[in-house]
Amino acid sequence: MSKKLLSFISILLIVSCALVQKNTQQQEEILPPIAKKIPDTLRIHDTLLVDNYSWLKDKTRSDEEVIDYLESENSYTEKLLDNKELQNSLYEEIIGRIQQTDLSVPVLRDSFYYYWKDIKGEQYSIYCRKRHIQDNTEEIVLDINKLAQPYEYFDVSNLRLSPDQNRLAYMADTTGSENYTMYIKNLKSDTLLYDTANNVGNLCWGNDSIMYYIKEDISGRPYKVYRHKLNNDINDDVLIYEEANTAFYVYMYRSRSDEYVMLTSGSKTTSEVRYLKTDNLLSDFKVVQPRIQGVEYSIYPHLEDFYIVTNEGDAINNKIMRANFSNPHKSNWELFLPPQKGCELNLSVFRDYLIVYEMKAGLEKMKVMDLKKDSTYYIQFSDSLYDFSVWGNYNFETEKLRFTYESFTTPPRVIEYNLDTHEKKILKKREVLGDYNSEDYTEKRVFATAKDGTRIPISLVYKADLFKEKNGTQSVYLSGYGAYGGVAYPYFSYSRISLLDRGIIYALAHVRGGGEYGEKWYDQGKMLNKRNTFTDFIACAEYLIENGYTEPSKLVAEGASAGGLLIGAVANMRPDLFEIIVADVPFVDLINTMLDTTLSATVSEFEEWGNPRVEKQFDYMISYSPYDNVKKQDYPNMLIMGGFYDRRVNYWEPAKWTAKLRDMKTDENILALKINMAGHAGASGRYDFFREIAFEYAFILDLLEVE
């Protein structure tokens, strides 16, 4: 530990080894790292903000003092949580449930079947293809393990096949900072072309020789669209679009029908779409409808028509319109499907079928519209709580829909659904090795009541015999997010079984700010309504305590990213409700981050959290900002995790928050910070990812004294 980062203190933090390695060691004294204070003041409106730890942000990532301090935090955490044996045991337990050598279900794209495979011991997947499914030989399209060999971190994104399937474009990030480089591979010769570009955010093929890529600005915002001709000098590429409004992000995609290239520019509340026929790529993109503040829309080309999903007018949860592609301006939109109260609509299109997605109460339904038969029906699911993901449907002219289905208790299964005959065929069931039986677990939905009377759903899963075998309250792991209109889905988790089998209840709080009940549910948890997210979560914790599921000494609260903001605010507001708080890449330094427009997404998120330069919004934001509201009080045991190269929630947010908590808190509970050398999503390799989960679970199980 660096001497310059420590000062002598008169009282040592006494850490009971019974919490970290029960009855196996004598008690020992461990010095926590003490962050130096360098007061930095800022007066905004009539409020003086004092930030003693801004130096952690002001210095660069390569600064020796910053690195020494973060290493001292990691070293302290490693010594404090001296439970390597438990971590290793949990890790082996988790990977012991997974088919480590596995093969995905092949997907037919024109003349090739594509699939990925995992090999035991390898961190990354290998992407392959065959001409015929029965072939004994395969062609390796991309072996990420070989690409990743020189790096501690490696992530591949935006894999895009050229229309003739002779080339593969992809983006690679080697640090976790999400600074991606574009590469193009010739699949026939198994070589990389010289066509590369840095700081790329999205890729899209126009035809076999023309592709588009989007460059990012210094904050990571995709904003410049370039047209590239294969084998031409990248410096000669043509800039075809630049988005000047820093609140807007640019994205491109090729329509399922292969007839159009779509260029979308959008903020949190407004969108604008351009389109171009793929048989005339050297012409100019045409605007469907110029942007109107507050109006969002997306385009789904279908033969001679565009289907439009939009919130225009009174359609807060979207409606579906239709217009001829020859003149798709809003004045020519015709109503195809009206809005539905409390139910958000989205869409997929095929030649003879439309799939309408209806989101209500955190559960999504698939409504099939058969255009040939002029009939409508729903695809039925068996579980009371479930999640599905539609994927691999590249062919426009098909009657088969592929999706993955899962629930808290049902492992993922790949399903092929015949849209004409309604036949449901299971192509693959993901294995859970060992003695797992879904009937041994119970999943259900309960409702807490918020202060304003709103019913807040809580999804639960636990061992079916839990309340038969044990009396009294159980340990509960309560997770929440509640931001960006995102839905918290009841998905299956191989690692979560390690909690359930030890008698821990997993609870998912569907708080406002998410999209479980559509746009209104989202609006009630953003901007000047954001505090509802926190009080909803508190109401969920109180419900679980009052109804005999748990008690504060057995309650864990967890949140990541914007969910970390939720957890951080709740820690300040009601620390008495929880024994443990786990915050992963937590967005807690709200005011300072939203004042810095050079950071990723700051400007676009003025419409999510507010703009602190607007006095009314600042007054509201400062009232709950986790970092700014740390005070002298007892806090629960806390595990805080961050990513050194994370550009969404930069490392200094969890580091500053930890330093302030350590200075202010009045208890002797554990406060541990771990900064991984990765990005926002954590480790890139699958084995490293499971080790991170085992680390978190070991922390929880030790403190809950669960065997």
Side-chain angles (χ1 to χ4, degrees), residues 243-376:
E243 178 54 65
N245 190 325
T246 53
F248 281 68
Y249 284 57
V250 179
Y251 177 76
M252 291 188 72
Y253 62 96
R254 187 181 171 95
S255 70
R256 181 175 278 119
S257 65
D258 285 331
E259 292 182 281
Y260 298 92
V261 174
M262 314 300 295
L263 193 163
T264 297
S265 186
S267 70
K268 297 293 183 183
T269 62
T270 307
S271 59
E272 181 178 76
V273 182
R274 290 168 168 78
Y275 65 100
L276 182 63
K277 295 276 283 186
T278 53
D279 60 4
N280 192 14
L281 292 176
L282 298 182
S283 61
D284 295 329
F285 278 80
K286 297 179 181 179
V287 178
V288 174
Q289 166 59 44
R291 65 190 66 175
I292 301 173
Q293 179 62 33
V295 174
E296 296 179 277
Y297 70 95
S298 52
I299 300 295
Y300 300 86
H302 182 271
L303 303 178
E304 299 299 314
D305 291 327
F306 286 168
Y307 284 95
I308 305 118
V309 178
T310 179
N311 67 345
E312 187 267 338
D314 58 351
I316 186 172
N317 288 319
N318 292 341
K319 59 186 175 183
I320 300 178
M321 310 292 283
R322 184 169 59 187
N324 189 275
F325 85 93
S326 61
N327 192 0
H329 187 273
K330 187 169 72 71
S331 59
N332 296 311
W333 293 0
E334 296 178 350
L335 182 64
F336 178 77
L337 200 63
Q340 300 181 31
K341 186 177 180 180
C343 178
E344 190 165 32
L345 303 179
N346 274 297
L347 185 67
S348 288
V349 299
F350 298 90
R351 181 184 179 89
D352 297 322
Y353 304 93
L354 303 181
I355 313 298
V356 180
Y357 305 100
E358 300 178 348
M359 170 60 69
K360 188 173 185 179
L363 294 175
E364 198 167 27
K365 294 182 179 180
M366 278 194 283
K367 181 168 71 175
V368 180
M369 304 184 74
D370 189 325
L371 301 179
K372 293 185 301 181
K373 299 178 181 178
D374 193 25
S375 62
T376 300

Side-chain angles (χ1 to χ4, degrees), residues 549-612:
Y549 287 95
T550 191
E551 57 191 32
S553 64
K554 297 180 178 180
L555 185 53
V556 181
E558 183 273 342
S561 194
L565 181 143
L566 159 63
I567 296 300
V570 167
N572 290 328
M573 295 166 68
R574 288 298 306 274
D576 58 301
L577 284 177
F578 308 97
E579 178 67 16
I580 302 171
I581 280 181
V582 177
D584 192 11
V585 290
F587 173 43
V588 287
D589 194 10
L590 178 69
I591 300 299
N592 288 317
T593 294
M594 296 307 293
L595 283 170
D596 189 347
T597 57
T598 67
L599 297 178
S600 173
T602 292
V603 175
S604 68
E605 296 195 358
F606 286 160
E607 296 176 312
E608 178 76 26
W609 319 109
N611 183 348

Side-chain angles (χ1 to χ4, degrees), residues 449 473 538-552 577:
T449 302
T473 56
I538 290 169
C540 291
E542 291 174 334
Y543 174 91
L544 294 170
I545 293 169
E546 292 166 3
N547 287 272
Y549 287 95
T550 191
E551 57 191 32
L577 284 177

Side-chain angles (χ1 to χ4, degrees), residues 316-317 342-344 359-362 485 487 513-524:
I316 186 172
N317 288 319
C343 178
E344 190 165 32
M359 170 60 69
K360 188 173 185 179
V487 176
E516 280 80 354
Y517 287 92
E519 195 71 13
K520 187 176 181 181
W521 196 255
Y522 173 35
D523 288 343
Q524 289 178 351

